[in-house]
Amino acid sequence: MKRSARFEQQPPFARANCFACQGRNRSEWCQLDSADLALLDSNKVTSRYEAGQELFRQGDPCPGVYIIERGTVAERRDDAQGNSAVIRLRHAGESLGYRDYFAGDVCSNSAVAVAECTICFIPRQAVQALLERNPALGLRFLTRLAADLKSTEDTILHNTALSMRKRLVHLLLSLKDHYGEMTDEGILRLELPLARQEIASLLGSRPETVARTIHALEEDGIAVFAGRAVLISDLDKLLDELEADTEP
Amino acid sequence: MKRSARFEQQPPFARANCFACQGRNRSEWCQLDSADLALLDSNKVTSRYEAGQELFRQGDPCPGVYIIERGTVAERRDDAQGNSAVIRLRHAGESLGYRDYFAGDVCSNSAVAVAECTICFIPRQAVQALLERNPALGLRFLTRLAADLKSTEDTILHNTALSMRKRLVHLLLSLKDHYGEMTDEGILRLELPLARQEIASLLGSRPETVARTIHALEEDGIAVFAGRAVLISDLDKLLDELEADTEP
DNA sequence: CGGGGGTTTGAGTCCGTTCAAAATACGTGG
DNA sequence: CCACGTATTTTGAACGGACTCAAACCCCCG
C-alpha cells in the first residue's frame, strides 16, 4: 500500500487541485464553471499507481470516472474461455471508465497502469451530479464516445488488414508523442511504457512474434531496440513501412 | 432510381408515419412526445434500398441519421492502402449514422444495404432540432454509443482470439434472431442476408476460407448449407462449437 | 445459350503460432 | 554490492491455419 505516498508526488507538478490542473483544458472537463470545479475538486481522489496496479477489473460494478494526470493505462478485455487482449492505451490527459458509467452497471474491461501513474478518481455520484448541473458535459462525453468508437473501428481494420510489422511500426509511431524525445544528435528516442507481452496483446499477437518482428526491424536498419528504449535515426523509414503495399 | 417505388412498400406494414411506427418504442426515439414526433414525421424521408445499394460513403459529409425499418445494413471501412472490412451489421429497428453525426463532419465508414431495406432518413438539421427540444434523446444516444463501443471491443477480442470456425458459428448464431425460423420438423432454418464475400469481410477473412470452413461444418454434421440457406438440426451442436477450448 | 460475377476446390506457400530451451533482466535477501 | 531465484525476453525448430494464385464450377440474367 503506497497510497499514503501520493502527496509526495504533488509538489513538483503543482496540481493539488482541479482549478490549477493543466490537463483539464484539453479534456472533457474543460467547460466546467468554478462552482462545478469546486464540486469536482472536493470529490476527486488523487492516487498514485505503480506499473501493473489495477484500477478496476472487468465485471466490477462501475466505480466512477478516472482522469489520467500522468502515465499510461491499458484497457484489457477477457472472455469466458480465458482469452485476453489489450483493447487500447490511454495516456495522460485522457479520461477512463466513462464508457462503463454510461453503458451500464459493470465494467466491461479491466484497467491496469502500465507505467507509474498519477490518476484522479471521481466517484459516480459526483459524476452524476456534475452531469446534472452541466448538460454540456454530457455532450462532451457524447463526442468522446463517438471518437472512441471511431478509433476502435480503425483497430479492427488495422488488425485484420495489416501485417505484424506494420502494426508494430504503427504502435511505435503512436507512442512517439507521449514517450519520444529528440536527442542532440537528432535521433528520436522512445522509452516504451509497455512490456513485450503487453505489446503482443495490444497487437493481437504473441511475445515471440513481437521479439522476431523487432529483430527484423533492427536488421533492416529501421530502429534499434535496447530493452524498452528504441532509437530511430530516420523517422521517414518508419513512415515508409506503413506506406509500402505488401503486394506488388 | 427506384426511389419513387417507396410508397408501394408501405401498405402491407402500415408505417406510413412515425406515430404508428412499431420499431420506435424499442429504439433511441422512444421518448419523443407528440410534438417531437410531428417534427420527426414531417422531416423524415422513407426510402427503399436494393441489396448492394449505398446509403452513404466513407468521406462524405455526414448527411444525418438513418433508421432501419426493414432489412440489414453493413458498415464498411476502407483504408488508404485499399484494404477494407465490414465493421458490423445493423438490423431492423436499429439506427445508423449517429456516430458520424456526433463525432464530426464526415462519415468514417460506408453503409450498404445487404438485403432489400426500408429505411427512414432524418436530415441532420432535424436531428439537431430534436436534440435541442429533447435532452433525453441525447442521453439515449450516449447510452447507444457506449453500447456500440462495448460490442466493437468485443469484436476485437473475438477476431484475434477465436478461430475462423468459431467466428463463423458466432455469426450464424447472431443472425438467428433476425433471419432464422423453426420449420415444422423442428429444424432451424437461416436465410443468410450476406454473400460469402461479405461474410469473409465481416469475419476478417477471405471468401475461400469461408467456403472451406462452411464445408468443414457440413462434414462435421453441424449445419447444412445450400446457397444462402442454412439448415441446423441441432442448435446445441452449434453452441458446443463455441464452448470447446481449442487447446486440451 | 453464352457471358460474368460469385463461389468452390485444389495446390502450394507464408506468416505467425506453438513448444521448448537458452539468455537476459529483475528484484530480493544475504 | 553481489548472489540467487524468478520472470521476462529471445532464439530455435517445427507445425499449422489461413492466405494466395489459379482453375473449375455454378447460378443468375440477359
Side-chain angles (χ1 to χ4, degrees), chain A residues 208-225:
Chain A
E208 297 95 319
T209 306
V210 171
R212 279 182 248 272
T213 308
I214 284 176
H215 189 77
L217 244 29
E218 288 188 314
E219 286 210 319
D220 295 348
I222 311 289
V224 179
F225 289 74

Side-chain angles (χ1 to χ4, degrees), chain B residues 32-178:
Chain B
L32 301 182
D33 62 31
S34 52
D36 293 337
L37 275 178
L39 182 64
L40 185 60
D41 193 56
S42 63
N43 280 99
K44 69 136 203 307
V45 179
T46 308
S47 306
R48 193 164 147 269
Y49 291 85
E50 305 298 327
Q53 224 181 319
E54 199 170 57
L55 313 214
F56 53 84
R57 183 190 298 261
Q58 187 174 336
D60 285 353
C62 168
V65 174
Y66 297 79
I67 307 172
I68 306 173
E69 280 200 19
R70 193 176 53 92
T72 293
V73 172
E75 293 189 45
R76 174 179 288 277
R77 167 164 310 211
D78 306 81
D79 72 9
Q81 283 84 45
N83 303 304
S84 172
V86 173
I87 301 295
R88 70 173 68 78
L89 259 26
R90 312 218 93 136
H91 300 290
E94 298 182 58
S95 296
L96 190 72
Y98 48 85
R99 199 275 310 285
D100 297 321
Y101 174 84
F102 290 113
D105 35 0
V106 300
C107 296
S108 38
N109 41 40
S110 307
V112 177
V114 294
E116 188 190 304
C117 292
T118 308
I119 295 175
C120 292
F121 170 66
I122 303 148
R124 52 181 304 133
Q125 295 84 343
V127 175
Q128 192 180 343
L130 281 166
L131 284 168
E132 281 166 7
R133 297 170 60 121
N134 193 332
L137 184 61
L139 217 56
R140 302 291 297 202
F141 276 111
L142 194 58
T143 310
R144 177 77 256 148
L145 280 170
D148 281 353
L149 184 54
K150 191 191 284 195
S151 74
T152 306
E153 291 176 1
D154 269 333
T155 304
I156 291 180
L157 178 53
H158 228 80
N159 286 350
T160 61
L162 269 47
S163 65
M164 253 314 283
R165 179 158 169 146
K166 287 190 181 182
R167 279 180 279 161
L168 178 59
V169 168
H170 187 91
L171 175 63
L172 294 178
L173 253 12
S174 77
L175 290 172
K176 177 168 62 70
D177 294 334
H178 285 91

